[in-house]
Amino acid sequence: RWSRVVDGVRVKLLNEGTGTRSVLVEFDAGAALPMHRHHEHEQCLVLRGDLQMDDLDIRAGDYHEAPAGSRHGRVGSTGGALIYLRGVSLGDTKSVVRDMLTAWLPGRGGTPRTVREAEGAWADIAPGARLKPLFEDSEEASMLLRLEPGARVASVFPGECLVIEG
């Protein structure tokens, strides 16, 4: 079920696990989210379209992470976008209000990081299977996995999995 966040921005809850939430967010052309602070480590993969965060342009296939404590100015899309977010407060009204109000308070978190679609190294992990690491800490890891038709991966990756195409 899609829910309105602000005019032109909708959210669909995919998973609400212990300590994290993942959602799809759809932006109409010209729509934006206001300035906000991240209280959780947030990971974003742009599935379609474009996003602008301050002077940073993010396109389809790009990965962006915002560490807990960091903040974004206005996040908008000129042509419309569909994004996957993990570790996000969207979908929880009290947390969204907290994130917007605390954006105005002084303080700094870690530095956000972007991995462009063409950046990063792909590793062959099995015949027809390639893996590109995006993020890893002691509790979780995020990666992209490309499988050619008929390819299989022997190991199981624990946690959440999002199939983008195929």
Side-chain angles (χ1 to χ4, degrees):
R1 189 180 103 226
W2 290 90
S3 302
R4 178 186 172 275
V5 178
V6 295
D7 286 341
V9 180
R10 291 166 297 288
V11 63
K12 181 177 186 174
L13 181 65
L14 298 176
N15 181 42
E16 189 163 23
T18 54
T20 193
R21 170 185 284 117
S22 60
V23 298
L24 290 175
V25 182
E26 188 172 43
F27 290 78
D28 290 341
L33 292 172
M35 182 169 71
H36 58 279
R37 182 174 305 276
H38 295 279
H39 291 269
E40 298 82 22
H41 178 246
E42 181 182 277
Q43 300 175 71
C44 170
L45 183 63
V46 180
L47 303 174
R48 177 184 73 229
D50 63 87
L51 286 180
Q52 293 76 45
M53 295 182 216
D54 299 319
D55 59 351
L56 178 65
D57 287 324
I58 303 173
R59 306 269 175 222
D62 292 348
Y63 167 85
H64 181 78
E65 67 181 41
S70 64
R71 64 181 168 187
H72 285 308
R74 181 181 179 273
V75 177
S77 178
T78 55
L82 178 65
I83 64 174
Y84 167 78
L85 291 178
R86 184 166 192 279
V88 64
S89 63
L90 284 175
D92 176 31
T93 305
K94 283 199 292 188
S95 295
V96 169
V97 170
R98 172 203 64 191
D99 293 353
M100 290 183 195
L101 291 176
T102 59
W104 297 96
L105 298 175
R108 296 186 59 127
T111 303
R113 181 177 73 98
T114 301
V115 178
R116 304 289 179 185
E117 181 180 31
E119 296 174 340
W122 288 89
D124 294 323
I125 60 169
R130 304 185 82 205
L131 181 124
K132 178 180 175 180
L134 297 171
F135 170 80
E136 185 172 359
D137 69 10
S138 62
E139 298 177 15
E140 65 179 330
S142 293
M143 63 201 76
L144 296 176
L145 176 65
R146 283 191 176 152
L147 298 173
E148 294 177 8
R152 295 187 180 274
V153 178
S155 63
V156 176
F157 297 98
E160 193 170 343
C161 178
L162 175 70
V163 176
I164 296 174
E165 62 181 74

